[in-house]
Amino acid sequence: MTTKDSKAEFVAIDDLRVGMFVYLDLGWMQHPFALNSFKITTQDQIVTLAGLGLKQLRWSPEKSDPEPSAHGTDTDDRPVDYAAEAAQARQAVVEAVAAEAALVAEKRRLRQERLKEQLDSLDLCDRQFTQASRTYRMISDQVHSQPEAAGAQAAEAIARMVEKMGGHEEIAIRLLSENMGERASMHSINVTVVSLLLGKAMGLDDAALQVLGTGALLHDIGKIVLPERLRWQDEDFKGAERKLYQDHVAHGIALGQAMKLPAAALAVIAQHHELADGNGYPYQLPGEKIAPSARIVALVNQYDKLCNPGNPLQALTPHEALSHIFAQMKRQYDPAALASFIHMMGVYPPGSVVELTDGSFAIVVSVNSSRPLKPHIIIHRPRVPRDEACVEDLEQLPELGIRRSLKPMQLPKAAFDYLSPRKRICYYFERARSLPDVGGTQ
């Protein structure tokens, strides 16, 4: 229907037809047409006009083609109901908008579920690491007064870890939060966790893992006898100070004997500073004379010392530490243990800061030994709030790869603040799981 006033005639949107000359009283950015006035020449234009949400348009009967009939006709001379088609077009737009909104809401829900699951898993790892650290401090406190009780407590702690690592599920190495405890316990738990994971990767059974873990947990127990200033090796130690520091091995053996540790665990304490090339201490044992479990602990101990040295300014990134051991120290460690360690940790171990192939930056937060080249990472995405950043699986992002490793201070400030690289590297283990692709990460 058309209406008439003193200045213009109007036509309802549902009554538009091909041949009408219409005027759009809209800004030029509010519609897709080249001009604000034109003659309708196609049915597609009517559908587009209907989608603008207007109820009527100004039109000029004088500039329009005569109306051929009550209805137009298409190329097959069949009647065309423009009003019905316009209504259908509007309904299609409404349905498309609703479907898009539903998809966005579902993605948001999945993302929130995924973020909660990841935070819960990290919180569990943090709590288990903290509990293990507390146990180590209790053992240290009672080893002189109740050595056998301390030894039993150590064995129970390792048995719990071995049980949690059991089964056929894959295990991932997880980077933990900052400030996970005081230094002595942090180092001992780090060495224990990674040694157990390496032992499992090398096929050790539960009994062998129990011995390995006990020795790893207590490998530095002899340091509690040393003065505080000598408990952490310093490259500046000379002469008498170096000898006093190295005596922590003998102190550890004596304490281990008082705790009634098994001989294989005592061997780990006695030999964790021995090197395959015979240049270790205190016995200068060649590689074949070093107990298999001690070979594992010696390697992991060195890795953790490179990542978490006495002087934080000398710390290497996990990627640098692994590269340094392989390039400059591999003759000092058992070849089989070193090969398994590199495979387990991946080229970019948890805690590594990396640049991706698209130029963005990320931090590696966990590695699954069955897919070491595809770690789980948090990517600096400025459009995603930092506290909503989800862990992403590189295996599910085939368009992305790691270009290079970086030192934290090489990051732009915004990326550094977002990723928060750890000053101290702490690890624990968690059940490996694939991360669902929920989209919307850009």
Side-chain angles (χ1 to χ4, degrees):
M1 296 291 295
T2 61
T3 59
K4 183 90 177 268
D5 65 18
S6 59
K7 294 184 179 180
E9 291 194 15
F10 293 85
V11 59
I13 291 295
D14 291 347
D15 291 334
L16 289 175
R17 61 175 176 81
V18 174
M20 281 185 167
F21 192 95
V22 296
Y23 301 90
L24 290 176
D25 298 318
L26 298 170
W28 67 273
M29 292 190 66
Q30 295 176 284
H31 64 80
F33 299 101
L35 301 173
N36 274 27
S37 60
F38 56 91
K39 183 183 289 186
I40 299 173
T41 58
T42 67
Q43 176 63 20
D44 287 343
Q45 290 176 324
I46 294 177
V47 172
T48 301
L49 289 166
L52 295 177
L54 302 173
K55 294 183 178 180
Q56 61 182 13
L57 290 178
R58 283 196 304 128
W59 76 297
S60 171
E62 293 79 11
K63 295 183 180 181
S64 301
D65 295 337
E67 185 173 2
S69 63
H71 291 87
T73 59
D74 61 15
T75 55
D76 295 325
D77 294 327
R78 291 176 297 183
V80 178
D81 190 339
Y82 294 130
E85 292 198 8
Q88 291 175 357
R90 287 195 297 275
Q91 182 61 28
V93 170
V94 170
E95 291 176 355
V97 170
E100 178 66 21
L103 180 61
V104 170
E106 178 64 8
K107 286 183 175 180
R108 184 179 297 112
R109 184 187 68 79
L110 289 174
R111 186 179 185 84
Q112 289 172 344
E113 285 185 0
R114 174 174 148 190
L115 182 61
K116 182 179 184 304
E117 180 185 357
Q118 291 169 181
L119 291 175
D120 288 347
S121 179
L122 176 58
D123 180 64
L124 176 61
C125 288
D126 282 350
R127 285 188 282 110
Q128 290 176 334
F129 189 100
T130 299
Q131 179 58 47
S133 297
R134 187 177 298 118
T135 298
Y136 181 82
R137 290 195 295 273
M138 292 173 62
I139 292 169
S140 300
D141 289 343
Q142 69 177 169
V143 68
H144 288 296
S145 59
Q146 297 177 286
E148 292 188 33
Q153 195 169 25
E156 289 175 11
I158 298 304
R160 290 193 295 269
M161 286 190 185
V162 172
E163 182 180 7
K164 290 174 184 175
M165 289 182 180
H168 299 290
E169 295 181 52
E170 295 177 348
I171 298 292
I173 304 169
R174 185 64 162 89
L175 178 71
L176 301 188
S177 305
E178 286 275 25
N179 304 319
M180 288 311 301
E182 57 91 20
R183 187 171 169 186
S185 60
M186 185 187 82
H187 172 71
S188 293
I189 303 306
N190 261 352
V191 172
T192 301
V193 167
V194 180
S195 293
L196 283 173
L197 289 171
L198 181 53
K200 183 177 176 67
M202 295 179 70
L204 299 187
D205 61 21
D206 286 358
L209 289 175
Q210 178 71 35
V211 170
L212 169 64
T214 303
L217 180 66
L218 301 172
H219 75 282
D220 270 346
I221 193 68
K223 286 185 177 180
I224 66 173
V225 179
L226 301 181
E228 179 68 30
R229 66 183 182 84
L230 294 178
R231 292 183 184 180
W232 299 99
Q233 186 173 19
D234 191 310
E235 295 303 322
D236 294 332
F237 284 174
K238 303 294 182 185
E241 284 186 333
R242 181 174 294 277
K243 177 63 169 61
L244 284 172
Y245 173 81
Q246 293 182 353
D247 281 348
H248 78 271
V249 174
H251 296 311
I253 295 171
L255 291 172
Q257 290 172 334
M259 285 188 279
K260 304 296 189 204
L261 298 183
L266 286 172
V268 174
I269 297 174
Q271 300 173 11
H272 72 276
H273 282 295
E274 299 292 345
L275 300 174
D277 61 6
N279 290 319
Y281 67 86
Y283 309 114
Q284 293 81 49
L285 297 177
E288 67 274 9
K289 296 292 186 180
I290 302 172
S293 291
R295 301 175 198 178
I296 291 174
V297 174
L299 172 58
V300 176
N301 181 54
Q302 181 61 43
Y303 173 80
D304 192 67
K305 285 166 57 180
L306 291 173
C307 293
N308 300 307
N311 181 356
L313 296 177
Q314 297 175 349
L316 300 183
T317 67
H319 172 75
E320 289 175 328
L322 199 61
S323 299
H324 178 78
I325 291 173
F326 182 75
Q328 301 184 35
M329 307 177 73
K330 61 183 176 182
R331 294 182 181 276
Q332 298 178 4
Y333 299 102
D334 178 71
L338 181 56
S340 293
F341 185 64
I342 292 172
H343 183 269
M344 181 183 79
M345 299 299 284
V347 177
Y348 301 96
S352 298
V353 177
V354 296
E355 181 183 5
L356 303 178
T357 50
D358 66 351
S360 59
F361 302 100
I363 185 169
V364 178
V365 296
S366 71
V367 171
N368 182 351
S369 61
S370 66
R371 292 181 288 277
L373 296 179
K374 295 293 183 179
H376 290 179
I377 60 177
I378 291 177
I379 303 175
H380 173 220
R381 297 190 187 278
R383 293 173 58 185
V384 178
R386 178 176 174 237
D387 59 357
E388 296 179 15
C390 284
V391 176
E392 301 186 51
D393 186 351
L394 269 183
E395 193 167 39
Q396 295 187 9
L397 300 172
E399 74 281 5
L400 278 183
I402 295 177
R403 177 178 292 163
R404 59 173 177 148
S405 174
L406 301 172
K407 284 184 174 294
M409 297 311 297
Q410 291 178 283
L411 288 170
K413 185 179 186 306
F416 183 94
D417 293 342
Y418 190 101
L419 299 174
S420 299
R422 313 299 194 263
K423 294 180 181 178
R424 293 283 181 187
I425 303 297
C426 294
Y427 295 136
Y428 211 72
F429 59 91
E430 63 181 353
R431 297 295 179 192
R433 60 192 182 280
S434 61
L435 302 176
D437 180 11
V438 299
T441 56
Q442 294 297 329

